[in-house]
Amino acid sequence: MPIQSATFAPASAASQVLQAGSTVAMPLPVTAASSANSTADLITAIKPFTPDALANGFATLVGALVGAMLAFALQRHFQKSLEHRNDLTSAHRLMFSLLQQINTIVLIQRDYIYSELSNPVRFLSINATPPYDTAKNVLQLRELAFLLNSKESRAILYDFYIAQENYVEAINQWNMRSALHLEKVQPALASSSIENGSEVTQEQLRAAIGAHTFGWIFNSTNNSIEALSRAFQKLAEVKVKTRKYLVQRFDTDDFTDFDFLETYGLLPTDAKDRGTAA
């Protein structure tokens, strides 16, 4: 049977790649229908953003902002109230400390020194006492930090610290004099031939307790009396300045005020002569 010849069109590059049974997605032309669908989708997307919805959202945002600002203001107000209360407590503590320091000096002066001020042998006749705690009723900077806020308050703080240092020094002087009297003078007198209550001259006392101890107790007694008097005057002056400042700053007169009708020779203007040991 004769074989018929047939002609074939040349295969394109795409037809050569295609395998039997494969499919190819062909791009579709953009039609009016698809454009209408896109517009509908856009309208659906922006439909919730109506003027009312936008206004409500803005109001919510403003409300949240105002709420946050109000919360911050309340927190700040609470913090300032707490700081004010702490500062007021420190101010009362400052006045209380001044009262205690001044009162300690007055008690020492009244109970041990005043009656012997004019006695020529007061360096012996003034009795010794147990040591006073120099740290008691003494304030540190951290307890007075509220006085660092202004120039005026820092001046008060400076004056107080100077007066307090004088107080500590006066108590140290008194403690040292008491220890010397108790540990050196009394044992020396007890071992001497001087009888208790007898009249003696300074030369006899010098010989009994030794020249060195005699000069030591003599000077220590005078220094102690002067230190107590100086500390009292400085503390009394600072007390007046401090209370005046605190009343103005905190707008209240509710601060401890005190005075001593009798200062027992602590002031130069006191009637009784403070005297000196001969």
Side-chain angles (χ1 to χ4, degrees):
M1 182 175 183
I3 299 174
Q4 296 180 352
S5 62
T7 59
F8 299 92
S12 65
S15 62
Q16 292 176 1
V17 174
L18 292 176
Q19 299 297 325
S22 63
T23 59
V24 178
M26 300 298 292
L28 298 177
V30 178
T31 63
S34 61
S35 178
N37 290 337
S38 299
T39 303
D41 292 340
L42 178 61
I43 293 174
T44 301
I46 67 173
K47 186 175 182 180
F49 298 97
T50 62
D52 288 342
L54 291 174
N56 290 336
F58 182 75
T60 301
L61 179 62
V62 171
L65 179 61
V66 170
M69 293 176 62
L70 181 61
F72 176 79
L74 290 175
Q75 177 65 24
R76 181 58 182 161
H77 177 73
F78 173 78
Q79 184 65 28
K80 289 180 70 67
S81 297
L82 184 61
E83 291 174 358
H84 177 81
R85 185 174 62 185
N86 291 339
D87 290 350
L88 187 59
T89 300
S90 296
H92 281 291
R93 178 168 172 75
L94 172 57
M95 292 303 302
F96 179 77
S97 177
L98 283 167
L99 169 62
Q100 291 297 96
Q101 291 180 15
I102 292 175
N103 190 58
T104 298
I105 292 175
V106 170
L107 291 179
I108 293 175
Q109 186 79 6
R110 183 196 69 184
D111 296 341
Y112 303 102
I113 298 175
Y114 182 60
S115 62
E116 305 295 336
L117 278 176
S118 299
N119 189 343
V121 290
R122 64 185 184 182
F123 56 93
L124 294 181
S125 60
I126 295 176
N127 292 325
T129 67
Y132 284 81
D133 183 4
T134 56
K136 186 178 181 181
N137 303 313
V138 171
L139 299 182
Q140 304 300 325
L141 180 60
R142 64 180 180 275
E143 301 170 280
L144 301 170
F146 76 100
L147 291 176
L148 296 172
N149 297 333
S150 67
K151 182 178 180 180
E152 182 182 6
S153 61
R154 287 192 293 271
I156 296 293
L157 178 62
Y158 174 79
D159 289 342
F160 171 75
Y161 258 95
I162 294 297
Q164 182 170 260
E165 285 299 314
N166 276 266
Y167 165 78
V168 172
E169 176 61 23
I171 298 301
N172 282 331
Q173 286 278 355
W174 176 258
N175 287 342
M176 183 179 70
R177 188 261 171 198
S178 291
L180 176 62
H181 193 283
L182 184 65
E183 297 171 8
K184 298 291 185 180
V185 175
Q186 292 184 21
L189 287 174
S191 61
S192 71
S193 59
I194 298 176
E195 296 182 2
N196 188 23
S198 62
E199 293 185 1
V200 292
T201 64
Q202 287 197 17
E203 290 306 318
Q204 289 175 311
L205 290 174
R206 190 189 302 272
I209 65 177
H212 177 72
T213 303
F214 181 91
W216 193 2
I217 190 64
F218 182 94
N219 291 329
S220 180
T221 299
N222 288 341
N223 291 340
S224 182
I225 292 173
E226 291 299 323
L228 289 168
S229 177
R230 182 171 56 251
F232 176 84
Q233 293 175 47
K234 288 186 176 297
L235 287 169
E237 181 181 354
V238 168
K239 185 268 293 186
V240 175
K241 291 181 179 180
T242 300
R243 189 178 187 280
K244 181 180 179 181
Y245 167 77
L246 295 177
V247 168
Q248 293 176 346
R249 171 167 175 173
F250 293 98
D251 194 25
T252 177
D253 196 43
D254 188 27
F255 289 101
T256 300
D257 197 9
F258 53 91
D259 245 327
F260 295 92
L261 298 179
E262 178 59 72
T263 54
Y264 304 101
L266 286 166
L267 296 177
T269 55
D270 287 343
K272 185 171 182 177
D273 181 21
R274 297 173 60 218
T276 58

